[in-house]
Amino acid sequence: AQKVTQAQTEISVVEKEDVTLDCVYETRDTTYYLFWYKQPPSGELVFLIRRNSFDEQNEISGRYSWNFQKSTSSFNFTITASQVVDSAVYFCALSEAGQGGSEKLVFGKGTKLTVNP
Amino acid sequence: KAGVTQTPRYLIKTRGQQVTLSCSPISGHRSVSWYQQTPGQGLQFLFEYFSETQRNKGNFPGRFSGRQFSNSRSEMNVSTLELGDSALYLCASSSGRGEGVGDEQYFGPGTRLTVT
């Protein structure tokens, strides 16, 4: 069965600190997709990144970087030099291929990040 | 390109009533998914529609139903509302190429439903 675990419920940092959000997943499929979404107080989920199971290259986008390790079933997200605007709830999600084309996402419980000035 | 829109944004209903929520996907997107978000259960998949057909369904009672129209707009309906149905209902759209390729899903702002 699919499962996504975000063990960190809440994290609080001071501006300019680096912070890593952890994500561990479970799946029986060999082909799957991992996502990170950001949910600011407004409520709308904002897509950040998608990674497929065959691409273990780390990715960097500005202050954001992602570390995908199949050996540990983890897909961690790091924010470098955090800013107050990064304050939000961050969700990790998993989608398996072979669901008849369905794009069902299984989400973790989310990590609430607070960046203090 | 306009994003995903959901109406209404806020809704207050009484136990036993029914409610219909609407979602308009991004132009050109054919797949619409619905999710329920509550503090206790988090984000849970309700169902997905593609080309007017339900392609997948989550583990929710039959009181929760949906449909999709030929223009890809979707509605979800909850009948006989219960207090526990109070939640943020999020709609997401994707291109829905029909191959389970992990398409990026773009979410709307949600409908906040309160059942009293």
Side-chain angles (χ1 to χ4, degrees):
Chain A
Q2 303 167 286
K3 186 178 179 182
V4 176
T5 302
Q6 295 179 255
Q8 304 149 310
T9 305
E10 292 193 43
I11 299 176
S12 182
V13 300
V14 177
E15 212 170 13
K16 297 185 183 176
E17 282 186 31
D18 298 348
V19 58
T20 296
L21 309 182
D22 297 333
C23 173
V24 174
Y25 62 92
E26 294 176 29
T27 177
R28 293 178 184 170
D29 268 19
T30 54
T31 303
Y32 52 90
Y33 306 90
L34 296 163
F35 302 80
W36 276 95
Y37 282 87
K38 173 183 179 180
Q39 187 175 43
S42 60
E44 186 169 340
L45 282 167
V46 178
F47 168 82
L48 294 177
I49 190 172
R50 176 188 70 182
R51 174 68 73 214
N52 74 54
S53 53
F54 299 107
D55 183 1
E56 287 194 73
Q57 279 194 339
N58 292 333
E59 178 148 345
I60 298 174
S61 176
R63 297 184 296 107
Y64 295 172
S65 62
W66 290 269
N67 184 341
F68 176 29
Q69 292 196 336
K70 284 178 76 170
S71 60
T72 56
S73 297
S74 65
F75 187 42
N76 297 337
F77 173 31
T78 297
I79 301 175
T80 302
S82 59
Q83 299 176 2
V84 173
V85 293
D86 296 326
S87 296
V89 181
Y90 290 86
F91 291 94
C92 180
L94 167 70
S95 173
E96 291 177 341
Q99 299 183 95
S102 173
E103 304 291 354
K104 170 187 172 183
L105 289 172
V106 173
F107 285 89
K109 293 291 189 184
T111 297
K112 182 179 180 181
L113 173 65
T114 302
V115 181
N116 299 297
Chain B
K1 213 174 194 181
V4 179
T5 58
Q6 292 187 245
T7 56
R9 292 292 311 278
Y10 302 91
L11 208 48
I12 300 175
K13 290 286 188 179
T14 303
R15 266 183 306 175
Q17 288 186 315
Q18 75 165 18
V19 67
T20 299
L21 312 182
S22 181
C23 171
S24 292
I26 291 171
S27 178
H29 282 189
R30 297 164 64 192
S31 169
V32 173
S33 298
W34 289 90
Y35 293 83
Q36 181 196 64
Q37 185 176 23
T38 60
Q41 299 299 317
L43 279 155
Q44 293 186 286
F45 173 79
L46 280 157
F47 29 64
E48 183 207 2
Y49 287 87
F50 176 76
S51 292
E52 302 179 66
T53 300
Q54 188 179 85
R55 194 158 66 171
N56 203 346
K57 188 178 188 306
N59 192 22
F60 278 82
R63 300 184 298 106
F64 292 82
S65 63
R67 60 177 175 168
Q68 187 180 34
F69 302 95
S70 58
N71 61 358
S72 294
R73 189 177 71 85
S74 176
E75 288 182 348
M76 68 163 280
N77 184 277
V78 188
S79 63
T80 319
L81 284 165
E82 300 177 359
L83 294 179
D85 296 333
S86 293
L88 179 66
Y89 289 88
L90 292 161
C91 163
S93 80
S94 67
S95 64
R97 286 172 281 173
E99 299 165 3
V101 293
D103 268 347
E104 298 155 19
Q105 293 193 39
Y106 296 91
F107 284 79
T111 294
R112 173 76 63 184
L113 172 64
T114 302
V115 182
T116 61

